[in-house]
Amino acid sequence: MEPAEMSKKRVQPWIEAAVHLSLCFAVGALAALVPLVATGAPSAANIRASFIGPFNNAQRAVAAAAAPPPAPDLGLLLIVTVTRADGGMEQDASLVRLAHTLRHVAPPLLWIVVGAENRTATARAVRVLRGTGVMFRHLTYDARNSTDAGAGDEVDHQRDVAMSHIERHRLNGVVHFAGASSIYDLRFFQELRQTRGFAAWPVATISPAEQKITEKGPTCNSSQITGWYSKDSSTNGTERTSTSPDAVDTSASNRNSSSEPLKINISGIGFRSSILWDSGRSFVGRNSSAGASTQDFIQIVHQMALEGENKLKGVTSDCSESQIMLWHLDMPRFTLIPEEQETQQQQSIVVTGER
């Protein structure tokens, strides 16, 4: 057999196999297009979807499983703290302790600290605040306008400065006045974030010098505040006042019943800051140099709390007196004696002893 004929016989089976595979592919492609032709003219998008649809659905399922759940909207907490220019290291320690508590609170949180215009005191406070790791704003006020005011009036003025700042910058959140010496249960801040209008809670004040504990807080019915109570451990007496004519307390522990409203601890009240600009009336005194106007806001807050406006709610939801999550440590203020004066006192004591 000639070489040419042998090569033709070798190539012929490959050609037949290629033709056979081509015919099979063409028949399969036509069979896939028959449903599309039956429903209408096929488009490029339909053909593409018919091929990648299953894979696309699988990719979407994987992406949905990998995506983290949406974070809950916690809302901004506005914590207001006032400081003294002569607080010294005692105040620094209180601020650091409070800062360590606030660091454990879920963000967002803004700590507004107010102090007098004093270069040394401001630098000291800012240095302490920067080392806490808490987002803060330090505000100052002119203390010369408060020289004739009492300590309580000056503190109210400092809080008024913070409220003016919140109103000016439209900081929408829940406002709470926190003392530098306050001690918290972290659950308190979770409850505080649920505030929609006004809220109140019990506060326990511990006075080591007087060796007593005073509790002040709201009484309520299904979280609706109906009155206020004040309990003194030194006398074992409880004083109550009611904002509802139907809420009558017949407890035997009531030592005194008075129609006069109780003075509420401002740290036991929280509210939505939006009332400062949505209420239609000015809560904050505009003239900071006027003695009376600087207290308008605090007075209105007390009035609204006592009258039960804006559907005042209790924290926690059951408004139980046993659910105290905020303590105020009333520590006596220590005055450092200059070294020369201390030496003179020691010499005087020695001379008196020799006589």
Side-chain angles (χ1 to χ4, degrees), residues 121-137:
T122 299
R124 183 188 188 106
V126 171
R127 183 173 62 252
V128 171
L129 294 173
R130 283 177 177 172
T132 61
V134 180
M135 184 170 64
F136 74 93
R137 293 186 185 179

Side-chain angles (χ1 to χ4, degrees), residues 174-249:
V174 181
V175 180
H176 167 55
F177 300 101
S181 59
S182 296
I183 303 172
Y184 292 88
D185 185 326
L186 289 178
R187 294 176 300 170
F188 167 80
F189 298 98
Q190 299 174 7
E191 296 280 350
L192 181 63
R193 276 200 163 99
Q194 307 303 318
T195 302
R196 294 297 175 262
F198 265 78
W201 47 85
V203 180
T205 301
I206 304 173
S207 302
E210 300 179 7
Q211 296 183 352
K212 71 175 184 178
I213 300 176
T214 305
E215 298 178 19
K216 290 185 178 181
T219 58
C220 61
N221 182 13
S222 299
S223 80
Q224 184 67 44
I225 291 180
T226 58
W228 305 88
Y229 77 92
S230 178
K231 184 186 299 183
D232 192 340
S233 64
S234 62
T235 59
N236 293 325
T238 301
E239 183 179 352
R240 299 179 186 270
T241 182
S242 173
T243 59
S244 172
D246 299 329
V248 179
D249 182 30

Side-chain angles (χ1 to χ4, degrees), residues 40-349:
S43 63
N46 292 335
I47 296 175
R48 179 177 180 274
S50 65
F51 283 98
I52 68 173
F55 302 100
N56 191 28
N57 292 336
Q59 291 176 356
R60 290 178 180 177
V62 172
D73 184 13
L74 297 179
L76 177 64
L77 289 180
L78 299 168
I79 310 300
V80 177
T81 302
V82 301
T83 60
R84 307 189 312 268
D86 60 344
M89 294 186 65
E90 175 192 353
Q91 183 169 261
D92 295 349
S94 298
L95 289 175
V96 171
R97 180 178 57 186
L98 179 57
H100 278 288
T101 299
L102 299 180
R103 286 177 61 182
H104 289 82
V105 180
L109 181 147
L110 178 60
W111 193 13
I112 301 177
V113 182
V114 186
E117 286 183 356
N118 183 296
R119 181 176 299 180
T120 303
T122 299
R124 183 188 188 106
V126 171
R127 183 173 62 252
V128 171
L129 294 173
R130 283 177 177 172
T132 61
V134 180
M135 184 170 64
F136 74 93
R137 293 186 185 179
H138 187 267
L139 309 179
T140 60
Y141 69 101
D142 189 357
R144 293 175 298 179
N145 296 327
S146 304
T147 53
D148 297 334
D153 295 340
E154 186 174 359
V155 170
D156 287 346
H157 176 63
Q158 290 177 265
R159 291 168 178 152
D160 189 68
V161 170
M163 294 300 98
S164 299
H165 180 82
I166 292 173
E167 183 186 29
R168 185 182 310 114
H169 297 281
R170 292 296 193 268
L171 301 179
N172 193 4
V174 181
V175 180
H176 167 55
F177 300 101
S181 59
S182 296
I183 303 172
Y184 292 88
D185 185 326
L186 289 178
R187 294 176 300 170
F188 167 80
F189 298 98
Q190 299 174 7
E191 296 280 350
L192 181 63
R193 276 200 163 99
Q194 307 303 318
T195 302
R196 294 297 175 262
F198 265 78
W201 47 85
V203 180
T205 301
I206 304 173
S207 302
E210 300 179 7
Q211 296 183 352
K212 71 175 184 178
I213 300 176
T214 305
E215 298 178 19
K216 290 185 178 181
T219 58
C220 61
N221 182 13
S222 299
S223 80
Q224 184 67 44
I225 291 180
T226 58
W228 305 88
Y229 77 92
S230 178
K231 184 186 299 183
D232 192 340
S233 64
S234 62
T235 59
N236 293 325
T238 301
E239 183 179 352
R240 299 179 186 270
T241 182
S242 173
T243 59
S244 172
D246 299 329
V248 179
D249 182 30
T250 59
S251 173
S253 62
N254 264 8
R255 184 173 53 89
N256 293 322
S257 178
S258 175
S259 59
E260 295 295 329
L262 298 174
K263 182 173 178 58
I264 303 173
N265 189 331
I266 195 63
S267 295
I269 302 174
F271 55 92
R272 280 280 169 184
S273 60
S274 56
I275 68 169
L276 298 176
W277 53 83
D278 290 343
S279 62
R281 55 176 172 171
S282 176
F283 282 84
V284 182
R286 303 299 182 191
N287 185 7
S288 60
S289 62
S293 64
T294 59
Q295 301 178 43
D296 289 347
F297 174 77
I298 300 299
Q299 290 178 356
I300 292 177
V301 168
H302 278 287
Q303 181 181 357
M304 292 184 69
L306 290 171
E307 293 178 357
E309 293 184 12
N310 286 355
K311 297 181 179 180
L312 189 67
K313 299 294 183 180
V315 175
T316 60
S317 58
D318 60 354
C319 200
S320 173
E321 296 179 14
S322 62
Q323 290 289 337
I324 296 178
M325 297 183 288
L326 169 57
W327 297 265
H328 174 67
L329 189 59
D330 188 11
M331 295 294 293
R333 296 179 58 180
F334 297 96
T335 303
L336 296 179
I337 302 175
E339 185 176 354
E340 296 180 358
Q341 184 177 352
E342 183 178 4
T343 304
Q344 293 177 358
Q345 290 182 354
Q346 292 176 352
Q347 292 176 354
S348 176
I349 292 175

